[in-house]
Amino acid sequence: MKFTPRILLYIITIFVVIASLVWEYYMQQWLSYQPDEGAEVLRTDLFVIWPVVITLVSLSIFRLFFDKRDEE
């Protein structure tokens, strides 16, 4: 039971990274069908996706390598 929050963080991080890659693939597909290859499209979704991904990856790396207080 002690490792449940840590494992849950890793699972959520992996899920969000995979989901963001799938989202980016489909956005690129959609942009390719737009006039001028989507040159006029403003991607506001990136202001939400990348901060979430960066935060979760940073927390996971911190918990994996630097958080030693749970091991005592």
Side-chain angles (χ1 to χ4, degrees):
M1 246 2 226
K2 188 175 184 180
F3 294 107
T4 304
R6 183 175 289 191
I7 292 172
L8 185 61
L9 174 66
Y10 299 151
I11 291 171
I12 291 171
T13 302
I14 291 169
F15 175 76
V16 167
V17 168
I18 292 171
S20 67
L21 292 175
V22 170
W23 176 263
E24 185 64 29
Y25 172 76
Y26 284 113
M27 282 300 295
Q28 292 301 321
Q29 292 291 323
W30 179 78
L31 286 173
S32 69
Y33 294 122
Q34 302 305 312
D36 296 330
E37 297 292 319
E40 298 296 321
V41 175
L42 182 63
R43 297 273 316 265
T44 57
D45 60 327
L46 298 177
F47 289 109
V48 175
I49 293 172
W50 288 113
V52 171
V53 169
I54 290 170
T55 302
L56 285 173
V57 169
S58 300
L59 283 173
S60 295
I61 289 172
F62 176 77
R63 294 285 296 201
L64 188 63
F65 292 115
F66 300 113
D67 192 21
K68 300 295 183 190
R69 67 182 154 92
D70 289 340
E71 294 178 4
E72 293 177 354

